Amino acid sequence: MKLSSFLPVFLLASSVLACPDHGDVEDLVERDIEISPRSVEPDFDALVARDEEYEYEGTEEGELDARSLDTEGDLVARATSCNNGAGAGVCANKSGKCAGGKFYAGFCPGSSSIQCCVKGAKLPSIPVGGCQKYVYTNGYKIMKVFPTLISSVGCKGSRAYKSDHAVGKALDFMLKKIAPNPNATKMAEYIMRNYGSLKVKYIIWNGKIWSRERKETPKAWSKWRKYTPPKALGTGCNARHCNHIHVSFF
Ligand SMILES: *[C@@H]1O[C@H](CO)[C@@H](O)[C@H](O)[C@H]1NC(C)=O
Ligand SMILES: *[C@@H]1O[C@H](CO)[C@@H](O)[C@H](O)[C@H]1NC(C)=O
Ligand SMILES: [Zn+2]
């Protein structure tokens, strides 16, 4: 084993031996945080490498309390790795740096100030409060394919009519450019084509609706059914969905 991979295990081992309670996972975690570069700023490769080290060592070091090391390895792995749907990332304090990327809420355990730092295009944040995790994860999956079209995204919200927003199972992708917007039409059709993996129930865009709930099969947006907004919405651009794509999820 490399010296660099031996060192953390040595520190862990000495902290275990110094501690009267060998199974004290919190003590191990605290110790780990002390020596972790994560508290400064996330370094992807180093952290991923560290996770692997811990997992490997945890199952190998038989003389130490293998069970507590296993548990600790799992905790570290779960606490530091995350994926927002658009890409893999590292959990870190959002008040630190996420170089070349952005922090996304809703993908890391514990405090809400620990968020998923994902490299790549900075996608608009999806508010996670009351929003289903698979819904906002699918939202980022979609935006990864169309990273420049959206200005903001809504999820959970109360409505004066029956709506999947009430239960956090709908997204509104607000567009930078209102209809006509051929790129937005492409995005809507992309969401439709991937209805299975994304769990899409129905999509509304620019006065038309496509519904998987009604067992409709994929077809060009121009062939979608006419959409009539609920009375409470009126007949403006927002009601007709000419400024946003609404997606409901099963
Ligand atoms: C994140 O960092 C801020 C500022 O340094 C600090 O106040 C906060 O306690 C940290 N959060 C966690 C969960 O460590
Ligand atoms: C829309 O699509 C065209 C062609 O693919 C592209 O050149 C243009 O930049 C896109 N507009 C936006 C806002 O992304
Ligand atoms: Zn909506």
Side-chain angles (χ1 to χ4, degrees):
M1 117 180 26
K2 290 176 301 174
L3 184 61
S4 59
S5 65
F6 178 75
L7 186 60
V9 172
F10 170 74
L11 289 173
L12 275 174
S14 54
S15 92
V16 167
L17 295 175
C19 177
D21 177 1
H22 289 206
D24 191 341
V25 172
E26 273 194 4
D27 184 56
L28 289 177
V29 170
E30 256 171 44
R31 182 83 201 190
D32 175 52
I33 285 166
E34 260 170 45
I35 60 172
S36 166
R38 173 177 38 164
S39 53
V40 184
E41 70 177 78
D43 174 349
F44 281 79
D45 299 337
L47 281 170
V48 169
R50 272 175 63 81
D51 279 357
E52 281 162 7
E53 261 167 36
Y54 276 115
E55 244 168 10
Y56 176 75
E57 299 296 350
T59 54
E60 287 288 301
E61 291 289 337
E63 315 123 58
L64 295 172
D65 187 338
R67 205 173 49 132
S68 80
L69 275 179
D70 260 352
T71 310
E72 202 266 346
D74 284 351
L75 284 175
V76 169
R78 253 184 281 133
T80 58
S81 307
C82 51
N83 193 310
N84 76 341
V90 172
C91 292
N93 192 321
K94 69 174 172 148
S95 64
K97 279 192 197 128
C98 174
K102 185 181 155 176
F103 284 111
Y104 297 89
F107 298 99
C108 295
S111 159
S112 62
S113 63
I114 304 299
Q115 299 191 352
C116 190
C117 162
V118 180
K119 287 184 177 178
K122 297 183 183 183
L123 306 172
S125 297
I126 304 178
V128 297
C131 190
Q132 304 287 321
K133 187 173 182 181
Y134 78 93
V135 167
Y136 60 76
T137 305
N138 286 346
Y140 289 119
K141 276 185 195 166
I142 293 164
M143 285 197 283
K144 184 189 184 178
V145 185
F146 301 89
T148 61
L149 306 183
I150 308 303
S151 56
S152 65
V153 186
C155 179
K156 160 87 177 172
S158 56
R159 298 288 190 274
Y161 46 93
K162 194 172 179 296
S163 166
D164 293 314
H165 284 295
V167 289
K169 288 190 174 186
L171 294 175
D172 287 327
F173 293 100
M174 307 307 297
L175 293 154
K176 288 181 187 165
K177 185 186 172 302
I178 67 166
N181 180 337
N183 289 352
T185 299
K186 278 185 195 147
M187 178 169 158
E189 290 174 342
Y190 170 87
I191 298 167
M192 169 194 67
R193 281 198 310 278
N194 292 280
Y195 70 84
S197 62
L198 295 172
K199 300 192 197 306
V200 172
K201 188 170 163 190
Y202 62 84
I203 308 164
I204 307 168
W205 160 237
N206 195 14
K208 291 175 181 288
I209 181 169
W210 179 84
S211 174
R212 190 54 201 162
E213 197 176 21
R214 294 195 181 198
K215 303 279 188 283
E216 291 173 359
T217 51
K219 54 176 81 89
W221 169 81
S222 59
K223 303 242 168 70
W224 290 12
R225 274 182 303 123
K226 183 182 189 309
Y227 169 72
T228 309
K231 279 230 162 63
L233 269 184
T235 55
C237 174
N238 193 56
R240 287 180 283 117
H241 291 66
C242 76
N243 60 352
H244 71 283
I245 301 172
H246 168 102
V247 184
S248 275
F249 297 83
F250 282 116

